[in-house]
Amino acid sequence: MLISRPKDTTRELQRDLSTMLKFREKKSITDLDLRNKKVLVRVDFNVPLDKYGYITDSRRIRHTLPTIHYLLNESCRIILISHLGRPEGKIVESLKMDPVYKRLKEYLPFINVYKAEDCIGKEVEKQVSELRKGEILVLENPRFHPEEKQNDPEFARKLASLADIYVNDGFATAHRKHASTYGVCSYFKEKGFGFLMEKELKFLTQCIEKPVKPLTVLLGGKKVEDKAIVVKHLLGLADAILIGGGMAYTFLLAKGFSVGKSVKDISQLDNVKHYLEESNYYNTKIYLPRDVIVCDELEYPSNIETVPITEIRENHVGVDIGFETTEMYKKVLSKSGTVIWNGPMGVFEKEEFEKGTKEIARHLIKEKTYTIIGGGDSAAAFEKFGFQDDIAFISTGGGASLEVMKGAMLPAVECLSDK
């Protein structure tokens, strides 16, 4: 379904992108005097683990290696800090950094890599003092301390006391104001971003600032609150916005359709209605599903069928876009010069409901469309399908990429040193 707009009332919308682009004024790793220094590096090694504690996707670790190698070449003593999972301020054995430490040693077989049992304290300070040039210490999960997410100043100060210089290469957490991503910057004179952070910011901002037209944005997943604001910012920037996944049902509800038991965010209805109305006046077309795949319940689905959006019943749960919608979206994408995709089109984790996401992904690869995948579940879907090497760029951060798409300056970048 296309949200139409009166031809005679359309107008150009000029967006101020200066805030989003201010990262260019911040120091990168190559602007810092790193020779022989102790460097605290905030990375994002929040990798998925199976039930046995083995890493199932080490992409985030691999993508940080250029920064680590650069620091090794500068004879730095490297202190790496990352969270893992959601331990909620207490020690959780299954969320210790041991699997990450072991994988990092595999990637750096000729480098001495050590692991600490905490991220602050006298024992950690002793290990840091014993580090030699070109050696690495992996700190324990900072989220074992409630002070990390609270951005506690004293906790941040203790982290900062371990090093001379700070480098943030954890794009996926750059939208968080935590002690290790934000608060720690108050205690460093010299701080900059690493190569992965720089690459992520350049890819995403370039696609918004100077995309190869037409620019199409695919938005899916179920977090309407986060992504509805993205729609607002993209009006007048994107040529087309294709809505799928769980968030589509809030949009359909706003248009007066019944969505049954499908996921929806009632609190966002007024905002969604406003954005749909606003789209009538700018050169951005918003597309909603014409048909969807439904079932009776998600956990043990049965009575799976495809129905037009006009025939979603009270007992239906929407789980994927239908064939007609997939074909409509593919036609739009075929005419696109640039595509940014954040959020799957359905519950791709279940094989029965992966088709919409998979077919759209296959089409983009076949058409060789320049596509940026905005991390999170979208990236997980490409990994599941084995498509990760067939696309232009896959971001490591879903939430952070959304913030960039809103035109925001990421907090963890804003606090770095100016050039």
Side-chain angles (χ1 to χ4, degrees):
M1 182 176 73
L2 168 64
I3 308 302
S4 61
R5 63 197 196 290
K7 291 182 179 178
D8 58 345
T9 59
T10 58
R11 59 181 183 267
E12 292 293 334
L13 178 63
Q14 296 298 320
R15 288 289 188 195
D16 182 5
L17 302 178
S18 59
T19 300
M20 177 185 73
L21 299 173
K22 280 185 177 178
F23 78 92
R24 297 171 179 172
E25 301 170 8
K26 298 296 180 177
K27 285 188 177 182
S28 75
I29 191 171
T30 56
D31 297 315
L32 302 172
D33 180 12
L34 297 162
R35 197 69 183 172
N36 302 325
K37 298 292 198 311
K38 288 184 294 183
V39 184
L40 179 65
V41 188
R42 197 357 171 142
V43 289
D44 187 352
F45 290 165
N46 184 30
V47 292
L49 306 172
D50 64 19
K51 61 182 179 180
Y52 304 108
Y54 293 110
I55 296 172
T56 57
D57 176 13
S58 59
R59 185 166 51 98
R60 286 182 172 178
I61 301 175
R62 295 197 311 271
H63 288 182
T64 311
L65 291 176
T67 292
I68 294 174
H69 282 300
Y70 184 86
L71 294 171
L72 290 171
N73 288 336
E74 290 292 317
S75 299
C76 296
R77 286 167 283 174
I78 304 168
I79 304 147
L80 300 177
I81 183 167
S82 170
H83 75 285
L84 182 61
R86 298 177 178 176
E88 305 302 335
K90 59 183 182 296
I91 296 174
V92 177
E93 289 295 322
S94 61
L95 296 179
K96 285 191 170 184
M97 300 302 294
D98 296 72
V100 169
Y101 162 67
K102 292 174 183 176
R103 184 61 58 89
L104 194 61
K105 283 176 67 71
E106 292 175 11
Y107 288 145
L108 301 167
F110 304 110
I111 303 299
N112 291 329
V113 183
Y114 307 100
K115 180 184 173 295
E117 293 304 313
D118 204 341
C119 60
I120 57 171
K122 291 189 179 300
E123 185 57 36
V124 176
E125 293 169 8
K126 182 174 181 292
Q127 284 182 276
V128 170
S129 69
E130 293 173 349
L131 273 182
R132 296 179 178 180
K133 297 173 185 178
E135 294 185 336
I136 299 172
L137 177 64
V138 178
L139 300 183
E140 190 48 272
N141 195 337
R143 289 193 184 177
F144 288 171
H145 297 265
E147 295 87 350
E148 160 68 357
K149 293 182 72 173
Q150 293 166 1
N151 189 26
D152 179 76
E154 180 59 17
F155 183 72
R157 186 194 66 77
K158 290 178 180 178
L159 290 175
S161 69
L162 300 174
D164 307 309
I165 292 176
Y166 176 74
V167 171
N168 194 328
D169 209 28
F171 175 77
T173 54
H175 60 309
R176 306 288 188 194
K177 284 189 175 182
H178 293 171
S180 67
T181 63
Y182 184 80
V184 71
C185 286
S186 297
Y187 304 96
F188 283 101
K189 183 179 179 180
E190 285 291 285
K191 55 251 181 179
F193 49 72
F195 293 121
L196 176 58
M197 180 81 81
E198 185 174 32
K199 184 178 181 181
E200 296 264 14
L201 291 169
K202 283 183 175 179
F203 264 94
L204 288 166
T205 56
Q206 183 178 342
C207 283
I208 296 171
E209 182 192 18
K210 297 178 180 178
V212 177
K213 289 283 194 172
L215 169 62
T216 297
V217 178
L218 271 163
L219 291 176
K222 60 183 181 181
K223 296 180 181 178
V224 180
E225 183 177 3
D226 293 340
K227 294 177 183 176
I229 302 174
V230 174
V231 173
K232 176 185 177 182
H233 182 74
L234 290 172
L235 293 176
L237 291 175
D239 298 284
I241 301 174
L242 313 182
I243 306 292
M247 67 179 291
Y249 301 99
T250 301
F251 277 75
L252 290 172
L253 195 62
K255 293 296 292 180
F257 295 98
S258 171
V259 296
K261 297 187 296 181
S262 306
V263 62
K264 50 191 171 288
D265 189 341
I266 302 299
S267 69
Q268 290 296 310
L269 272 180
D270 287 342
N271 287 334
V272 168
K273 288 178 182 178
H274 176 69
Y275 302 152
L276 290 173
E277 178 63 26
E278 281 289 293
S279 73
N280 290 331
Y281 300 102
Y282 300 111
N283 294 320
T284 299
K285 297 178 182 179
I286 297 180
Y287 294 79
L288 301 181
R290 291 177 179 171
D291 62 339
V292 293
I293 296 175
V294 298
C295 63
D296 52 1
E297 65 167 330
L298 191 54
E299 189 171 359
Y300 301 104
S302 60
N303 300 318
I304 301 171
E305 58 179 322
T306 302
V307 298
I309 57 172
T310 54
E311 296 180 19
I312 300 176
R313 297 191 293 273
E314 289 186 5
N315 65 320
H316 280 159
V317 179
V319 289
D320 197 6
I321 57 174
F323 175 79
E324 187 179 349
T325 301
T326 301
E327 292 303 304
M328 173 178 66
Y329 285 6
K330 283 161 69 173
K331 286 181 181 178
V332 176
L333 293 168
S334 290
K335 300 174 184 177
S336 302
T338 304
V339 172
I340 302 175
W341 186 353
N342 192 300
M345 296 291 98
V347 188
F348 74 94
E349 296 90 344
K350 291 182 177 288
E351 189 174 351
E352 311 98 292
F353 311 134
E354 70 178 19
K355 191 171 183 180
T357 304
K358 196 171 188 177
E359 283 299 308
I360 294 294
R362 276 179 173 159
H363 179 76
L364 290 170
I365 293 167
K366 180 183 176 183
E367 296 286 312
K368 298 181 179 179
T369 307
Y370 187 82
T371 304
I372 304 294
I373 305 300
D377 287 337
S378 312
F382 270 72
E383 292 281 348
K384 178 188 176 184
F385 304 146
F387 297 163
Q388 65 272 19
D389 296 326
D390 301 319
I391 215 75
F393 184 72
I394 298 181
S395 172
T396 58
S401 64
L402 279 176
E403 289 300 310
V404 174
M405 290 168 68
K406 292 176 192 175
M409 176 71 152
L410 299 176
V413 177
E414 185 176 14
C415 64
L416 299 176
S417 300
D418 293 326
K419 288 183 178 178

